[in-house]
């Protein structure tokens, strides 16, 4: 709640503010506890069913894809502040959520297709030859991470617009469904891949539920066209990598890094061609930046 400068809040407003804070904390604190446990339980279950080596595969694969969350995290932080401000003055927030969704998966999508194209090469190059056995785990983790990241703007918008109870219920639902499913698949299918498969299934369902909640609470399903362009560009990147990969001996850092750089270049070049929204964004960001650089050089 914002208080105008020079205006003394009334006792009733103070009481309302305190009630609002209590109501938010009532849900946000349990949400943080549930989400933290949800993130950690996979490691516990994998250790139980498959041992320490499988935990090593899981955690190293997770490190490869988590840098994509730095971008989505920065977007969600800014979105939360803006949604809170707009909600406090009764303004609409849907357009800001759409803009956040557009770029939330900008890096996560090509990371998945990169992991799909050369999982073993990535694992053994970054962490050593003994981790090549975690290649399949890397693919699964990269895929569920895409679905996980795309939930961030919805959860942030709901919390920022004074609806933290919805986020808490969804997080709790995810944990309640995930635990028995992970126990079942981890025990009867495969310790490592079974737990990852359970997490993937829950994240897919959870994103679908967030879309249903968005339809009810935020004015409709949110799946902007630029996201389709990102998927198409990532597919083009994947095809080019698979075409070139047999010609490149991926036995050391140099060829692997070179192929990663090539894939990134192919992805962003394809995105420039496919997405007018991305071209507009580049123009709005790069042109002012280049202008400032030229000014400083002069």
């Amino acid at each position: 709640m914002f208080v105008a400068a020079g205006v003394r809040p009334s006792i009733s407003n103070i009481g309302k503010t305190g009630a609002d804070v209590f109501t938010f904390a009532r849900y946000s604190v349990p949400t943080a506890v549930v989400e933290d446990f949800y993130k950690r339980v996979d490691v516990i279950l994998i250790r139980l069913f498959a041992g320490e080596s499988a935990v090593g595969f899981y955690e190293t694969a997770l490190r490869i894809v988590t840098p994509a969350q730095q971008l989505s995290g920065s977007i969600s932080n800014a979105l939360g502040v803006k949604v809170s401000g707009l909600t406090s003055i009764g303004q609409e927030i849907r357009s800001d959520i759409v803009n956040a969704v557009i770029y939330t998966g900008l890096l996560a999508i090509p990371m998945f297709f990169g992991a799909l194209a050369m999982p073993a090469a990535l694992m053994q190059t970054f962490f050593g030859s003994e981790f090549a056995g975690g290649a399949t785990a890397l693919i699964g983790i990269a895929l569920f991470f895409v679905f996980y990241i795309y939930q961030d703007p919805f959860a942030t918008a709901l919390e920022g617009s004074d609806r933290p109870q919805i986020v808490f219920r969804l997080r709790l639902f995810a944990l309640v469904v995930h635990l028995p499913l992970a126990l079942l698949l981890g025990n009867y299918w495969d310790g490592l891949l079974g737990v990852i498969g359970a997490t993937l299934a829950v994240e897919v369902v959870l994103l679908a539920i967030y879309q249903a909640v968005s339809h009810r609470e935020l004015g409709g399903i949110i799946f902007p066209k630029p996201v389709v362009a990102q998927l198409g560009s990532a597919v083009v990147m994947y095809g080019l990598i698979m075409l070139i990969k047999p010609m490149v001996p991926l036995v050391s850092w140099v060829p692997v890094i070179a192929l990663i750089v090539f894939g990134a270049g192919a992805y962003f070049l394809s995105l420039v061609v496919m997405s007018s929204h991305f071209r507009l964004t580049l123009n709005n960001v790069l042109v002012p930046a280049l202008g400032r650089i030229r000014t400083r050089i002069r």
Side-chain angles (χ1 to χ4, degrees), residues 89-109:
I89 57 176
Q91 297 294 313
E92 72 92 20
I93 59 174
R94 181 177 170 81
S95 60
D96 293 287
I97 303 169
V98 171
N99 286 334
V101 171
I102 286 173
Y103 288 107
T104 288
L106 182 66
L107 298 182
I109 291 174

Side-chain angles (χ1 to χ4, degrees), residues 15-234:
K16 186 176 185 300
T17 301
D20 289 344
V21 171
F22 174 77
T23 300
F24 189 85
R26 174 187 170 191
Y27 289 104
S28 63
V29 173
T31 297
V33 173
V34 169
E35 185 168 10
D36 187 59
F37 182 69
Y38 176 72
K39 289 178 179 178
R40 295 174 183 271
V41 74
D42 277 3
V43 173
I44 297 171
L45 294 176
I46 290 169
R47 182 180 286 112
L48 175 66
F49 292 125
E52 293 290 339
S53 60
V55 171
F57 290 154
Y58 179 87
E59 293 188 332
T60 50
L62 200 58
R63 287 174 194 162
I64 290 178
V65 298
T66 48
Q69 196 170 21
Q70 294 178 355
L71 175 63
S72 71
S74 64
I75 292 172
S76 291
N77 289 339
L79 177 66
V81 173
K82 190 166 186 182
V83 164
S84 180
L86 291 172
T87 300
S88 69
I89 57 176
Q91 297 294 313
E92 72 92 20
I93 59 174
R94 181 177 170 81
S95 60
D96 293 287
I97 303 169
V98 171
N99 286 334
V101 171
I102 286 173
Y103 288 107
T104 288
L106 182 66
L107 298 182
I109 291 174
M111 278 189 172
F112 163 66
F113 281 96
L116 185 63
M118 47 181 185
L122 291 173
M123 290 290 283
Q124 64 188 15
T125 298
F126 289 112
F127 300 105
S129 58
E130 65 271 22
F131 287 95
T136 306
L138 174 60
I139 296 172
I141 288 171
L143 182 55
F144 85 61
F145 208 73
V146 171
F147 288 95
Y148 174 77
I149 274 182
Y150 271 110
Q151 296 166 33
D152 280 353
F154 298 101
T156 300
L158 290 169
E159 289 180 329
S161 57
D162 300 328
R163 287 170 278 194
Q165 70 277 13
I166 297 176
V167 179
F168 169 69
R169 289 165 187 160
L170 289 179
R171 298 291 191 219
L172 187 61
F173 165 80
L175 180 62
V176 170
V177 173
H178 176 264
L179 272 175
L181 185 60
L183 286 168
L184 179 67
L185 296 180
N187 187 43
Y188 292 102
W189 175 33
D190 179 276
L192 174 59
L193 299 182
V195 173
I196 292 174
T199 305
L200 172 60
V202 170
E203 295 300 335
V204 171
V205 171
L206 200 56
L207 181 58
I209 294 174
Y210 267 115
Q211 288 285 11
V213 171
S214 175
H215 185 270
R216 187 187 70 193
E217 301 282 339
L218 303 173
I221 290 173
I222 298 176
F223 189 74
K225 288 182 180 179
V227 175
V228 178
Q230 292 167 21
L231 285 167
S233 299

